[in-house]
Amino acid sequence: MRVIIIDDDFDAWRAAALDALAQQLTPESIDWRTAQAEPALFGEAASPAGAADAPHIRVSRELASLLKDAAHFRDPRRWSFLYRVLWRWAQGDRSVASPADEDGARLYKMAKAVRRAQHDMIAYVRFRQREASLGAPEYVAWYEPGHDVLAWAAEHFAARMGRSTWLIATPDAAAMFDGERLQLERRRALASDHAVDTPDAAEALWMTYYRSIFNPARLNESALEQHMPVRFWKGLPEGALIPQLVSDARGGARRVAQAQSVGALVGKPVQVEAQDAQPERDAPTSLDNCRRCDLWRNATQAVPGAGPSGARIMLLGEQPGDQEDLKGEPFVGPAGQLLHDAMQRAGMPREQVYLTNAVKHFKWEPRGKRRLHKTPAQQEVQACSYWLEQELHDVGARVIVTLGATALAALFGRRATLAAHIGRVVPYRDKLVVATYHPSYALRQNDEAARERTVAAIVEALERARELIGS
Ligand code: URA
Ligand code: SF4
């Protein structure tokens, strides 16, 4: 009997399986084991010696995708089963890829169950937003996938959640995203009796996670159990942590305790404290690299202003919305549509207008599957004025139309109210400012007459701007 120890994933199995095929090892002669299951007994996983010059065997595209999906089926015997399928195929037995075959049927069933688990995970993971003061990750989710689909789902979320930082914990692994890199930590097997005494990276990560959701002010055992099912919870070292967490909380030492467990992480870097994760705040080299405030984290990209550099009018909005964030251009969503209509009504020529926002990254909060606009804080507006200043300098527009309260405050400070400025022309440095409503204010008004009054006021402000540049 040949023992082959691999990392518990498809690529490791494939390399080792090709190697075994090349040596003509029959399925019955191999004992497949995974490094994660028996770290103490076997040490490092064997990297297949012949991987570089492993033979190629041609499998149909369908079989390749079945094998790949079935590899995530949670069953310790899967590697040996998959090898039997591959072996039979390599012997020329094509029936193994048919649902009419016993192995084939099992393969189809496994692949189907995995695809279903992937779909479920995407649909049912619920992120909870954590207190900002605790630092990253900003969102955490606990989920028990039906099969080993965390890595797959994590890629999905990494592509969709912008630069937010998050952690998805599952019973046997956790995925962390630090805004740029995805990292996966598997738990070592709990079975070995020294697991609790030798916290490894995964356990430290777990403790961090656990502390992050643990709110001693609302210590409620049944809530804890709901969040982390007892079946799993009992086997975890976190169980032992509860008394310590409670006393830490009394002593106000919770953050310290959390920092300690982060410090206990070994191996790959994981940044858990927001301050550490923040590169330089000043003098960013480009808008996309800007870290002057935290808004870059949750956004897809920065949205720069758009328009000719010789534009004589600048329209200043608040911040990109959902669609602007995805497209990277200002005013391309519903508010932008309304603004463009208003510009047309005012006869404002596009080529004389530069469109931009006071804040260049989209600020939002999750509401179900939607990203809900959140008004930027004055601190963020101030941080981002660095970029607005450059635009004011580079564009040299004579007239600025501020849309809404945030844009007005970006120029005159928070005390400048829209009510006091609306419809007036106010000098600003060597420029003139016309203040008006934000187009999304009009969109929010249900009463049609009121909405039309708001739109008319915006049109009037745009006409005023035209008069001021004498066009
Ligand atoms: N709202 C704004 O203020 N700016 C945009 O770019 C889009 C919507
Ligand atoms: Fe920089 Fe502005 Fe983005 Fe904040 S919102 S990170 S200041 S570009």
Side-chain angles (χ1 to χ4, degrees):
M1 182 66 78
R2 174 82 65 95
V3 176
I4 298 182
I5 307 160
I6 54 167
D7 274 338
D8 205 7
D9 67 47
F10 180 73
D11 289 338
W13 169 81
R14 183 176 51 192
L18 290 175
D19 210 39
L21 272 182
Q23 297 175 51
Q24 291 288 309
L25 296 179
T26 62
E28 299 74 32
S29 69
I30 305 176
D31 180 5
W32 291 92
R33 300 190 191 178
T34 57
Q36 281 86 352
E38 304 175 61
L41 281 176
F42 298 102
E44 291 297 296
S47 62
D53 45 47
H56 279 284
I57 76 154
R58 277 188 183 283
V59 300
S60 66
R61 190 188 292 192
E62 164 124 54
L63 178 59
S65 105
L66 283 168
L67 288 171
K68 208 164 181 173
D69 288 341
H72 300 283
F73 192 89
R74 203 168 266 144
D75 177 350
R77 292 161 306 175
R78 67 192 186 277
W79 303 123
S80 109
F81 169 71
L82 294 183
Y83 185 69
R84 186 163 78 230
V85 170
L86 192 65
W87 170 265
R88 284 182 55 194
W89 179 277
Q91 306 308 307
D93 181 358
R94 297 296 185 255
S95 64
V96 73
S98 153
D101 179 88
E102 198 179 318
D103 282 341
R106 182 169 159 199
L107 185 66
Y108 271 89
K109 242 171 133 168
M110 286 164 73
K112 189 171 167 198
V114 167
R115 286 173 199 150
R116 161 125 221 175
Q118 289 174 331
H119 175 270
D120 283 353
M121 181 153 185
I122 298 307
Y124 298 123
V125 160
R126 290 283 174 271
F127 284 99
R128 297 149 47 103
Q129 190 160 19
R130 298 173 55 234
E131 264 175 75
S133 63
L134 293 174
E138 296 150 281
Y139 300 98
V140 293
W142 162 254
Y143 188 78
E144 293 177 78
H147 292 285
D148 189 8
V149 297
L150 173 65
W152 183 91
E155 295 280 351
H156 171 93
F157 289 114
R160 281 189 83 235
M161 292 191 34
R163 284 165 170 165
S164 356
T165 57
W166 48 260
L167 170 83
I168 304 175
T170 73
D172 51 13
M176 295 252 317
F177 190 68
D178 68 0
E180 280 166 18
R181 286 159 311 154
L182 189 60
Q183 185 182 328
L184 220 67
E185 296 279 354
R186 278 181 193 280
R187 287 181 57 80
R188 292 274 166 90
L190 284 170
S192 60
D193 51 16
H194 57 264
V196 173
D197 300 330
T198 50
D200 60 11
E203 266 150 18
L205 190 67
W206 258 106
M207 289 182 207
T208 307
Y209 165 68
Y210 188 72
R211 286 187 164 116
S212 76
I213 59 160
F214 179 87
N215 184 346
R218 281 187 277 119
L219 183 55
N220 171 339
E221 297 220 356
S222 76
L224 281 179
E225 286 165 13
Q226 267 172 23
H227 203 74
M228 188 176 287
V230 177
R231 154 172 87 72
F232 174 59
W233 188 46
K234 280 195 179 134
L236 286 174
E238 288 86 340
L241 276 174
I242 290 183
Q244 190 210 328
L245 281 165
V246 175
S247 59
D248 279 350
R250 288 203 191 105
R254 191 163 160 226
R255 287 203 64 169
V256 176
Q258 190 174 358
Q260 276 166 358
S261 67
V262 175
L265 286 170
V266 292
K268 293 162 261 172
V270 177
Q271 300 198 315
V272 175
E273 291 291 317
Q275 300 91 294
D276 297 344
Q278 258 164 31
E280 45 135 19
R281 285 193 160 248
D282 300 314
T285 49
S286 75
L287 186 60
D288 230 15
N289 291 332
C290 180
R291 305 290 184 262
R292 294 176 61 84
C293 77
D294 274 339
L295 294 187
W296 63 275
R297 287 177 177 284
N298 296 350
T300 309
Q301 58 192 321
V303 179
S309 58
R312 299 168 71 196
I313 298 174
M314 176 184 279
L315 301 191
L316 181 59
E318 181 190 78
Q319 63 165 345
D322 182 76
Q323 298 196 31
E324 288 80 11
D325 169 81
L326 295 172
K327 290 220 177 87
E329 289 171 45
F331 291 106
V332 292
Q337 188 54 53
L338 193 144
L339 183 63
H340 286 295
D341 292 349
M343 283 166 71
Q344 226 165 27
R345 271 172 67 176
M348 182 174 272
R350 278 300 311 267
E351 65 279 5
Q352 300 209 344
V353 178
Y354 182 88
L355 294 169
T356 194
N357 287 299
V359 166
K360 308 297 196 250
H361 276 110
F362 179 33
K363 182 174 185 180
W364 56 277
E365 59 188 350
R367 195 55 62 79
K369 289 190 174 175
R370 294 190 331 140
R371 303 190 297 175
L372 219 64
H373 161 276
K374 212 170 167 188
T375 305
Q378 184 64 12
Q379 252 186 353
E380 289 151 349
V381 173
Q382 230 157 38
C384 214
S385 67
Y386 175 90
W387 298 106
L388 182 58
E389 282 297 334
Q390 287 197 8
E391 289 174 303
L392 289 172
H393 178 265
D394 295 346
V395 177
R398 166 99 177 107
V399 177
I400 305 171
V401 180
T402 56
L403 305 166
T406 304
L408 186 68
L411 299 179
F412 296 108
R414 207 163 31 132
R415 289 212 201 99
T417 64
L418 199 51
H421 282 78
I422 205 104
R424 282 175 49 206
V425 178
V426 186
Y428 179 77
R429 300 184 193 164
D430 60 341
K431 305 174 191 306
L432 296 170
V433 172
V434 182
T436 189
Y437 300 108
H438 193 284
S440 64
Y441 172 59
L443 290 177
R444 283 198 305 272
Q445 284 172 308
N446 291 323
D447 181 87
E448 196 153 331
R451 185 178 340 133
E452 176 46 34
R453 276 197 299 278
T454 305
V455 174
I458 295 174
V459 172
E460 209 173 295
L462 298 176
E463 286 169 346
R464 195 71 180 274
R466 270 190 68 193
E467 285 164 24
L468 289 170
I469 60 161
S471 85

